[in-house]
Amino acid sequence: MAELGYQEGNNYTFDHLYVPGIDEYESNYRQLVALGVDIIVAAGPERSLKSALASSHTKPIVMVAVDYDPLALGYVTSLARPAGNVTGLFLQQIELTAKRLQLLKNAFPEMQSLTVFYDRTALDQWEAAQGVAATLGLRLAGFDLGDPPFDYDKALAQANPDSRGTVFVVASGFLLRDRERLADFGLRNRVHINVLLPRRGGSGGLMSYGPNFKEIFRRAAEYVDRLARGAKPADLPIEQPTKFELVINLKTAKTLGITIPANLLVQAEEVIE
């Protein structure tokens, strides 16, 4: 926002509330609307957008749909002309689940089973993973982690021994918050962790594939700017990422004593050494 000419406390105010769990979204959005905000940014799971819409059907909403499909769920009628008061970005994480599993299989061709961590905001991704697993020759042990704070050690302990070596973490906003904890968990248990990483985020996860979140939120700020200048949400097409980045952490690989295939390393946008 600063790069777009906005100065906090001068020509705009940025109000935000921390959401500790999925059930707090609606009350938090109602608080923001009560503050008199002009534009709402609804980032994260479906509950975020649903709660924002429940709090106001007139205020412009910039969504960042991290782990759901707003078109399939009926929140917008079209990506090109969304109608209503919602526009923003759709991250396609459900479709990316298959690609992320494929990359993981490419890294460990002999792998036959793994553990999948998901929460109730990302059930669609768990279902997508189940749908593609057989074609990749994989058996999945899925664990619904419940509500934050998540107990990763308990979930792993419940997995079959042959599934504990690799953990695939779906793209949930709540799990993304925990990326540092997950990385530490992986190193402590000598587990290969596939989790979303921010570019140059310093996390100790082994591999990540997805959009650049910094750029996603930069685009969200540009939507806010256009709406603030008078554009209507229905006139702003919903964008989908066109670039997806593979990040491989060789430092973690060396710590775990594993070798990443060279043909996978050359595909990576970032190799952490």
Side-chain angles (χ1 to χ4, degrees):
M1 293 297 290
E3 291 173 4
L4 293 169
Y6 293 86
Q7 296 180 352
E8 175 77 24
N10 185 3
N11 58 355
Y12 98 115
T13 300
F14 180 37
D15 290 311
H16 60 95
L17 296 173
Y18 178 76
V19 182
I22 192 169
D23 294 324
E24 283 76 27
Y25 273 107
E26 187 165 347
S27 61
N28 278 10
Y29 278 117
R30 292 193 185 281
Q31 288 183 56
L32 288 175
V33 170
L35 290 172
V37 298
D38 298 302
I39 299 168
I40 298 171
V41 178
E46 178 194 359
R47 182 68 68 87
S48 175
L49 179 59
K50 184 177 181 178
S51 300
L53 282 166
S55 69
S56 175
H57 286 285
T58 57
K59 292 183 183 295
I61 296 174
V62 177
M63 71 170 177
V64 181
V66 172
D67 47 18
Y68 65 97
D69 184 336
L71 184 61
L73 293 171
Y75 289 106
V76 295
T77 57
S78 163
L79 297 182
R81 293 190 63 81
N85 60 323
V86 176
T87 186
L89 300 112
F90 165 33
L91 272 56
Q92 303 167 268
Q93 294 296 346
I94 299 169
E95 293 87 345
L96 286 177
T97 300
K99 178 65 174 179
R100 294 175 65 208
L101 276 173
Q102 177 67 69
L103 288 167
L104 194 56
K105 180 69 172 179
N106 292 349
F108 306 105
E110 303 303 318
M111 178 180 61
Q112 296 182 344
S113 61
L114 70 154
T115 296
V116 179
F117 285 171
Y118 63 96
D119 65 8
R120 57 179 166 139
T121 70
L123 291 174
D124 289 341
Q125 290 176 69
W126 165 234
E127 292 172 0
Q130 290 176 294
V132 75
T135 63
L136 297 175
L138 294 173
R139 298 188 306 276
L140 306 183
F143 288 90
D144 184 343
L145 297 165
D147 295 318
F150 301 127
D151 190 337
Y152 302 117
D153 290 285
K154 180 180 178 180
L156 188 66
Q158 293 174 353
N160 292 328
D162 62 350
S163 300
R164 294 177 186 170
T166 302
V167 175
F168 181 85
V169 183
V170 303
S172 151
F174 291 106
L175 288 165
L176 179 61
R177 285 182 188 174
D178 257 3
R179 58 188 177 272
E180 297 293 343
R181 273 192 65 210
L182 281 162
D184 291 341
F185 159 82
L187 291 171
R188 179 164 38 83
N189 290 280
R190 301 194 65 78
V191 168
H192 310 155
I193 291 283
N194 181 283
V195 60
L196 280 177
L197 303 173
R199 282 294 297 272
R200 308 190 204 327
S203 172
L206 180 64
M207 288 177 57
S208 170
Y209 179 77
N212 184 318
F213 274 82
K214 184 175 181 179
E215 292 305 316
I216 291 295
F217 281 93
R218 187 182 297 273
R219 288 296 298 148
E222 291 171 0
Y223 272 93
V224 171
D225 175 53
R226 294 175 69 182
L227 291 168
R229 295 177 186 276
K232 304 297 184 184
D235 296 329
L236 300 180
I238 292 169
E239 293 185 3
Q240 297 172 286
T242 57
K243 182 180 180 181
F244 302 97
E245 301 176 339
L246 175 62
V247 179
I248 298 175
N249 194 326
L250 280 186
K251 181 179 179 181
T252 296
K254 291 174 183 177
T255 300
L256 296 175
I258 59 177
T259 301
I260 303 296
N263 63 348
L264 196 60
L265 287 173
V266 297
Q267 298 177 43
E269 276 73 24
E270 182 178 6
V271 176
I272 300 172
E273 298 184 274

